[in-house]
């Protein structure tokens, strides 16, 4: 290739890059939807392929898989909302009995009493705590209202992801072949190997994550049931477990997200109960409303997951050094928050495959 | 709506010409039409110009090719030995379906050619999606390689013939 041609090519790449950078903010939501659709496609692809073999219609296979998944999702969310609704009704009644105010007062006094005087003085007065709690409640209601406001766009995004997923699932193999068609002959075999390795990397990672999430859900349910044996009075245990399992998909922060509904429900159910208020963990540490018990239980579940389950099922699925995983998570989290953390590891795994193949091509260009 | 129906639900009665060619390749012998169409969905049709390399000696090997139209020369570029001249319906490079060793010879298109590529990654996908079909292909492949080994043994045993 003559030098002038090389310069033209470089300029062309720079111009395309700049245009892409300008357009990217406008396309980011569409790209996000496509990424989610691709992930769902990877999750369901195997099942669709298997069903297609038996019923000979891919479209029907896609319909069956997605319909059953959506129905399970609707049943789960529906029953969770209705159960939570009745829970909130009971809770509202409790607040109206003014148990809420007295409970918060007792809690503040209990904590103050159990701590050394110097630290105890740092705890705000009970009136202040009540004001803070009320403000927090108003904040929660406002958040719920704004969430309802954005429900419209959420519905639209979900609908678009569903459409993209259907198209991708039906046309997946043809899309892949069309992509391969554009590859120059000399890069065909290396390119195919790269696509296969990327697919393998993503599906291994997803399968590992789904297994790990299921284990966390089951362990959380067992843990919460055990706490109930000691009088924690936590309801909606299965839902909390499933939420904890799903939240576990987001590395590092997922476990804390899983704790929130458990603590909220423990608070709602135990407001006004003297026994729950005076509960102590291991008979030594004050744990009003079993909050500390719940936190410890989730930390234990997290440790079991991090040290036994994840290394076993996710482990070396992406073949990255633990230090690299931490760095990648930090970069993903800094760039786009929790979503960045969710996608950081598979994206790093894919980049690893691509870079390996590019290095191979550069080293062996005379053979291609 | 009609387009959606025709694209996704209506079965076409035309037999794919690639299926006809693959049916005559020993590696895809005894496969039903349904099984062959499943294989075809994973294959890649490629066109090569005259004198274009399909692959070079020592290049990473990923799979086999079946010639739809045209011709291919299998040669050792170092010693300039010609191992075979292949034409429509012939296949080559099938050893790459089993091992990850580099190519032992070069393949060059002798005229504008249309080839079907079936690669190790496709075979692995097929074995996952349809183990029965994957096993049939592996068995056929073993048979082809076994026959070739027997022939080589006979040639070595009687070098003068």
């Amino acid at each position: 290739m003559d030098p002038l041609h090389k310069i033209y090519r470089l300029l062309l790449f720079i111009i395309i890059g700049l245009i892409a950078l300008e357009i990217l903010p406008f396309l980011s939501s569409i790209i996000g939807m496509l990424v989610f659709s691709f992930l769902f496609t990877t999750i369901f692809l195997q099942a669709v392929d298997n069903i297609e073999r038996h019923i000979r219609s891919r479209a029907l296979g896609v319909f069956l898989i997605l319909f059953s998944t959506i129905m399970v999702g609707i049943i789960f969310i529906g029953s969770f909302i209705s159960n939570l609704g009745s829970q909130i009704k009971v809770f509202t009644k409790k607040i109206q009995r003014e148990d809420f105010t007295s409970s918060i007062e007792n809690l503040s006094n209990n904590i103050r009493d159990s701590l050394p005087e110097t630290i105890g003085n740092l705890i705000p007065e009970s009136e202040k705590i009540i004001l803070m709690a009320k403000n927090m409640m108003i904040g929660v209601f406002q958040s719920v209202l704004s969430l309802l406001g954005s429900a419209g766009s959420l519905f639209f995004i979900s609908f678009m992801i569903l459409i993209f997923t259907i198209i991708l699932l039906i046309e997946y193999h043809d899309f892949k072949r069309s992509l391969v068609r554009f590859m120059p002959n000399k890069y065909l075999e290396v390119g195919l190997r790269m696509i296969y390795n990327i697919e393998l990397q993503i599906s291994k990672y997803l399968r590992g994550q789904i297994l790990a999430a299921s284990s966390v859900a089951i362990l959380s349910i067992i843990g919460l049931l055990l706490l109930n044996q000691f009088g924690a009075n936590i309801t909606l245990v299965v839902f909390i477990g499933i939420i904890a399992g799903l939240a576990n998909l987001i590395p590092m922060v997922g476990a804390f997200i899983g704790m929130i509904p458990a603590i909220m429900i423990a608070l709602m159910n135990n407001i006004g109960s003297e026994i729950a208020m005076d509960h102590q963990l291991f008979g030594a540490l004050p744990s009003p409303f079993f909050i500390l018990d719940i936190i410890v239980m989730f930390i234990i579940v997290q440790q079991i997951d991090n040290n036994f389950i994840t290394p076993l099922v996710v482990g070396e699925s992406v073949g990255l050094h633990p230090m690299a995983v931490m760095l990648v998570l930090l970069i993903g989290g800094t760039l786009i928050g929790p979503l960045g953390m969710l996608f950081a590891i598979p994206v790093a795994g894919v980049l690893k495959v691509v870079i390996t193949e590019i290095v191979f091509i550069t080293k062996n260009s005379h053979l291609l | 709506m009609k387009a959606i129906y025709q694209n996704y639900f209506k079965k076409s009665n035309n037999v794919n010409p690639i299926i006809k060619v693959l049916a005559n390749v020993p590696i895809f012998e005894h496969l039903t039409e349904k099984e062959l169409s499943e294989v075809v969905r994973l294959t890649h049709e490629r066109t090569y110009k005259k004198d274009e390399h399909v692959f070079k000696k020592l290049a990473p090997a990923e799979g086999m090719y079946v010639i739809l139209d045209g011709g291919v020369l299998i040669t050792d570029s170092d010693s300039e030995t010609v191992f075979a001249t292949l034409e429509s319906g012939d296949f080559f490079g099938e050893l790459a379906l089993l091992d990850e060793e580099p190519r032992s010879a070069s393949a060059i298109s002798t005229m504008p050619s249309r080839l079907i590529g079936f690669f190790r990654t496709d075979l692995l996908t097929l074995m996952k999606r349809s183990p029965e079909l994957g096993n049939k292909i592996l068995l056929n492949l073993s048979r082809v390689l076994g026959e070739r080994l027997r022939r080589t043994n006979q040639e070595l045993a009687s070098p003068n013939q």
Side-chain angles (χ1 to χ4, degrees):
Chain A
M1 198 187 292
D2 69 286
L4 201 65
H5 193 82
K6 270 186 181 173
I7 292 167
Y8 280 144
R9 238 176 118 166
L10 187 69
L11 276 173
L12 188 71
F13 276 124
I14 291 170
I15 291 167
I16 290 172
L18 287 174
I19 292 171
L21 270 178
E22 279 297 310
I23 297 173
L24 202 65
F26 302 102
L27 296 180
S28 59
S29 59
I30 297 172
I31 293 170
M33 286 183 219
L34 283 173
V35 168
F36 271 103
S37 313
F38 180 73
L39 280 181
F40 285 127
T41 304
T42 317
I43 292 170
F44 296 124
L45 189 65
Q46 183 98 44
V48 169
D49 283 346
N50 287 342
I51 290 185
E52 188 198 5
R53 259 173 54 218
H54 292 105
I55 59 173
R56 310 306 306 172
S57 166
R58 195 166 179 83
L60 195 59
V62 171
F63 173 76
L64 284 175
I65 290 287
L66 291 183
F67 181 74
S68 44
T69 310
I70 290 169
M71 284 317 286
V72 169
I74 287 173
I75 290 168
F76 173 75
I77 294 170
S79 57
F80 179 64
I81 288 173
S82 78
N83 278 305
L84 196 68
S86 42
Q87 195 89 35
I88 287 170
K89 263 185 200 166
V90 176
F91 179 59
T92 319
K93 274 180 194 164
K94 274 186 185 174
I95 292 178
Q96 281 164 355
R97 287 209 311 266
E98 293 200 349
D99 280 353
F100 176 67
T101 318
S102 62
S103 289
I104 294 288
E105 259 176 18
N106 289 343
L107 174 66
S108 162
N109 296 335
N110 278 358
I111 294 173
R112 192 190 295 273
D113 293 343
S114 62
L115 292 171
E117 203 177 330
T118 44
I119 302 173
N121 288 338
L122 296 174
I123 307 280
E125 294 293 325
S126 53
E127 290 80 18
K128 281 185 188 166
I129 293 189
I130 291 163
L131 193 71
M132 274 162 61
K134 279 184 176 166
N135 285 342
M136 202 178 79
M137 286 289 179
I138 292 167
V140 168
F141 283 121
Q142 276 174 345
S143 306
V144 169
L145 280 177
S146 67
L147 197 72
L148 285 175
S150 60
S153 70
L154 190 74
F155 178 77
F156 172 74
I157 290 170
S158 311
F159 181 72
M160 288 313 290
I161 290 176
L162 177 69
I163 297 291
F164 286 150
T165 309
I166 291 173
I167 295 170
L168 271 173
L169 274 172
I170 294 177
E171 302 280 0
Y172 184 81
H173 298 291
D174 292 332
F175 273 142
K176 204 168 97 178
R177 284 175 69 195
S178 311
L179 187 75
V180 172
R181 210 165 285 156
F182 287 110
M183 280 183 197
N185 283 338
K186 67 182 206 169
Y187 298 122
L188 173 67
E189 299 196 15
V190 182
L192 279 171
R193 190 173 64 190
M194 187 163 80
I195 292 175
Y196 180 78
N197 285 339
I198 288 174
E199 280 179 339
L200 199 68
Q201 190 87 304
I202 294 173
S203 68
K204 264 164 91 180
Y205 176 77
L206 281 176
R207 208 167 301 148
Q209 283 293 332
I210 290 168
L211 269 173
S214 315
S215 329
V216 167
I218 292 166
L219 285 175
S220 305
I221 291 169
I222 294 170
L224 291 170
L225 288 174
L226 274 177
L227 286 183
N228 277 349
Q229 292 298 311
F230 294 101
N233 190 21
I234 301 166
T235 46
L236 305 180
V237 170
V238 176
F239 293 110
I240 297 172
I242 294 172
I243 290 169
L246 288 174
N248 193 62
L249 292 173
I250 305 170
M252 288 155 101
V253 291
F256 300 101
I257 298 172
M259 275 178 206
I260 296 168
I263 293 174
M264 271 175 62
I265 286 174
L267 270 172
M268 281 186 190
N269 287 354
N270 293 317
I271 283 278
S273 157
E274 285 292 323
I275 305 165
M277 177 74 75
D278 299 331
H279 174 72
Q280 290 187 325
L281 178 62
F282 306 125
L285 288 166
S287 171
F289 307 118
F290 290 81
I291 292 173
L292 204 57
D293 299 54
I294 294 169
I295 293 171
V296 169
M297 190 278 288
F298 273 102
I299 289 173
I300 293 171
V301 169
Q302 193 61 25
Q303 288 308 311
I304 296 174
D305 173 51
N306 285 349
N307 297 309
F308 300 105
I309 300 164
T310 303
L312 209 70
V313 295
V314 185
E316 290 169 7
S317 63
V318 285
L320 288 173
H321 190 275
M323 186 68 189
V325 170
M326 292 281 280
L327 272 175
V328 158
L329 284 177
L330 282 174
I331 294 168
T334 317
L335 287 178
I336 30 175
L339 265 187
M341 292 180 102
L342 183 67
F343 292 123
I345 298 177
V347 167
V350 169
L351 280 177
K352 194 188 160 207
V353 172
V354 174
I355 291 168
T356 311
E357 291 300 340
I358 288 173
V359 169
F360 179 85
I361 290 170
T362 323
K363 277 186 183 166
N364 299 287
S365 57
H366 62 288
L367 295 175
L368 302 174
Chain B
M1 278 309 280
K2 195 183 168 191
I4 292 173
Y5 170 75
Q6 279 177 340
N7 274 335
Y8 297 126
F9 294 102
K10 197 180 175 188
K11 281 184 182 170
S12 167
N13 291 324
N14 302 331
V15 179
N16 188 333
I18 298 171
I19 291 183
K20 283 184 188 166
V21 176
L22 288 189
N24 292 321
V25 174
I27 289 168
F28 303 112
E29 239 173 27
H30 311 303
L31 262 59
T32 61
E33 204 182 306
K34 271 182 190 174
E35 288 172 330
L36 279 169
S37 61
E38 205 163 329
V39 172
V40 168
R41 281 178 60 190
L42 292 169
T43 56
H44 307 274
E45 194 181 326
R46 311 291 298 184
T47 49
Y48 292 83
K49 288 179 227 148
K50 185 178 184 294
D51 295 330
E52 187 181 350
H53 272 92
V54 180
F55 52 74
K56 288 182 185 170
K57 187 184 171 183
L58 297 179
E62 287 296 318
M64 65 171 279
Y65 294 86
V66 180
I67 305 172
L68 278 180
D69 321 298
V72 169
L73 196 71
I74 307 295
T75 171
D76 184 339
S77 37
D78 299 334
S79 62
E80 293 186 4
T81 316
V82 174
F83 295 119
T85 309
L86 306 172
E87 51 194 38
S88 302
D90 289 338
F91 64 98
F92 58 97
E94 66 285 357
L95 209 59
L97 288 174
L98 294 177
D99 65 10
E100 292 182 28
E101 291 298 306
R103 299 284 186 193
S104 53
S106 299
I108 302 164
S109 168
T110 52
M111 59 182 91
S113 306
R114 220 155 46 97
L115 309 185
I116 289 289
F118 180 67
F119 300 98
R120 192 167 53 242
T121 54
D122 303 325
L123 181 60
L124 290 172
T125 309
L126 198 63
M127 282 162 72
K128 256 193 281 174
R129 281 173 56 183
S130 180
E132 210 177 305
L133 176 54
N135 282 341
K136 268 189 184 177
I137 293 172
L138 279 180
L139 202 64
N140 283 340
L141 189 59
S142 317
R143 200 174 292 137
V144 168
L145 296 176
E147 265 170 35
R148 197 168 300 162
L149 187 66
R150 197 172 297 125
R151 210 180 308 141
T152 312
N153 282 344
Q154 279 169 357
E155 280 171 17
L156 284 171
S158 50
N160 296 331
Q161 285 177 1

